[in-house]
Amino acid sequence: MIPDHQEEQRLLIAEYVLGLHRGEQAVEIERWLAEDEQAARQAAYWREHWVGAAELLEPARLPLGLWRRVARETGIAVPWWRGLWQSAPAWRFASAALLVALVLAVGPLRQPAPVYTVVLQAPGEAAQPGWRITVADNGDLQLTPLTQQADYHADRSVQFWTLENNAEGPRSLGLVEPGRTLVIPAEQVGGVESGQLFELTLEPPGGSPKDRPTGPVLFVGRAVAL
Amino acid sequence: MDESNHELEQATVWLLACARGDAKAFQRLYRMEAPRMLALARRLCGDPGLAEEALQDTFVQAWRNAARFRPEKGSARAWLYALLRYRLINQHRRTRRYDAEALPGDDWPDPGPTPEQCSMQADRRRAMRECLRGLQGDRRRPILMAFYHGFTYEQIAETLAVPLGTIKSRVRTGLKGLQECLRL
């Protein structure tokens, strides 16, 4: 029941915004707030102030795939290749020309054409590419060694990471065996965009004990659209 | 203008853009707001899976209802938090028992006998933090348990092993103190 006394009303609003009223009582307060502009304003003030308390919390690390689920459910998820295709007519022409050239040169394609490439280099060693990444138009990623790389410590693991955005942080794409080609399916890779960062780090055996790189960066590079 | 205020304004701009169907703005809003919202959701429901589900639903709802957002009534951040809290508090009964998890503000000392006047020149969010600091610990704690854990009066009383009437009295006294400090 909504009290008549103004001070009691204000207290009721404060309790409601804090979540202390549930069920029918909450419904009655909501109905009142929908009809009483002053009471609604009071509730809005409280909500605004409580943001200050929420800001005391350390931001959590967002789980992989949560954004993709949101995007899918809202209907805004567009396959990255379709977005690229639709948003840049020049790309359409260039890609089509590239495909025609490839078909003429090598005959019918057996493998999907790469649409992104990354050259991974040792940090600060631009002239020493160590690995090449190609991302096919079906989204599969291939990591290929460019040099002999037997120089790693035997008791450490090499882990492959990507950084899609700073909010989500680096995401592991698995462990890499030095000198061996690795193919990662599209569903594990997720969408790739121009400028997306990829890196290999040296980690404890079995990989990083945390959800992020802990060891030195061996090779790093950014995706370039073909 | 500090960074936090800039973010607050930016979030409002992006939410308004969402109402016009701007998916890029929606993604930016998600990147900026979702990490702390997830932290709050985890505290509110005590279940990481439910917290993620609630966050997902909140952003889906935000996208679909962005046109209902009225910036003159408050910030986008307050609007998003209200959606999230409403969903978690009304649709999920917290199942995990309170496990003495530390609350922000637990380590604040109790104020002296003459509480300092809260500066209202500060913005609302900073004012709330200052005003919470000004509360006696036995009033502040049950209020924070309601805010961060989504507890009812009964759950707070049970957890703190304090009679329900005493808890109600402490919370109401604390809220009155906040009201005065915030000049609401």
Side-chain angles (χ1 to χ4, degrees), chain A residues 106-225:
Chain A
V106 300
L109 295 176
R110 291 180 187 168
Q111 298 293 324
V115 287
Y116 284 96
T117 188
V118 189
V119 176
L120 296 176
Q121 299 166 325
E125 302 284 346
Q128 291 189 12
W131 297 77
R132 186 183 66 233
I133 297 170
T134 50
V135 181
D137 62 0
N138 64 359
D140 289 350
L141 179 151
Q142 182 168 311
L143 176 67
T144 312
L146 296 177
T147 55
Q148 290 294 323
Q149 299 162 20
D151 214 11
Y152 305 127
H153 296 285
D155 59 345
R156 307 288 291 277
S157 291
V158 178
Q159 196 160 354
F160 187 27
W161 304 86
T162 186
L163 179 69
E164 290 165 55
N165 64 62
N166 289 327
E168 292 191 9
R171 177 162 61 91
S172 174
L173 292 173
L175 298 180
V176 171
E177 279 192 53
R180 292 269 182 88
T181 295
L182 176 72
V183 176
I184 304 175
E187 53 272 22
Q188 191 183 336
V189 176
V192 173
E193 293 180 350
S194 279
Q196 188 168 323
L197 190 82
F198 291 86
E199 65 181 20
L200 295 173
T201 62
L202 196 59
E203 301 290 344
S208 169
K210 299 181 178 173
D211 204 15
R212 57 181 167 73
T214 58
V217 175
L218 299 171
F219 296 96
V220 63
R222 290 187 182 275
V224 176

Side-chain angles (χ1 to χ4, degrees), chain B:
Chain B
M1 181 167 56
D2 65 22
E3 192 183 342
S4 174
N5 277 335
H6 174 71
E7 278 185 6
L8 203 69
E9 289 187 8
Q10 189 63 68
T12 296
V13 169
W14 285 334
L15 184 54
L16 289 170
C18 289
R20 300 189 299 270
D22 185 337
K24 284 264 181 214
F26 182 50
Q27 187 168 11
R28 291 187 180 118
L29 183 70
Y30 170 85
R31 283 177 183 170
M32 189 165 75
E33 298 299 331
R36 195 171 270 117
M37 289 173 72
L38 181 59
L40 180 62
R42 283 179 180 162
R43 280 184 179 265
L44 275 169
C45 71
D47 179 321
L50 282 182
E52 285 176 29
E53 198 182 302
L55 185 66
Q56 181 181 334
D57 287 353
T58 299
F59 271 92
V60 170
Q61 209 182 334
W63 172 254
R64 290 177 182 159
N65 296 306
R68 294 186 190 173
F69 167 64
R70 294 283 174 272
E72 65 276 13
K73 290 187 175 176
S75 67
R77 186 170 286 176
W79 191 76
L80 287 169
Y81 278 103
L83 284 180
L84 179 71
R85 281 179 55 81
Y86 183 87
R87 188 193 182 287
L88 280 167
I89 287 174
N90 292 290
Q91 296 178 18
H92 287 294
R93 298 302 300 261
R94 187 188 174 95
T95 51
R96 180 168 65 102
R97 280 186 64 80
Y98 178 60
D99 53 5
E101 189 179 7
L103 294 168
D106 267 354
D107 55 347
W108 294 342
D110 277 0
T114 313
E116 290 178 359
Q117 282 291 333
C118 187
S119 166
M120 285 300 107
Q121 281 73 45
D123 63 73
R124 288 174 181 169
R125 292 163 301 127
R126 194 175 301 125
M128 176 57 111
R129 293 194 284 266
E130 289 174 9
C131 291
L132 281 167
R133 278 178 192 275
L135 289 183
Q136 294 284 352
D138 63 351
R139 294 166 190 173
R140 181 173 63 225
R141 187 160 182 80
I143 289 176
L144 293 182
M145 286 169 77
F147 179 74
Y148 290 115
H149 292 317
F151 278 6
T152 60
Y153 274 128
E154 288 77 10
Q155 288 169 313
I156 297 169
E158 188 192 348
T159 304
L160 296 180
V162 173
L164 181 61
T166 307
I167 286 298
K168 281 190 176 177
S169 166
R170 285 180 187 173
V171 168
R172 296 189 131 220
T173 308
L175 288 175
K176 275 183 194 167
L178 286 178
Q179 243 171 12
E180 283 168 22
C181 180
L182 296 167
R183 299 183 185 172
L184 284 173

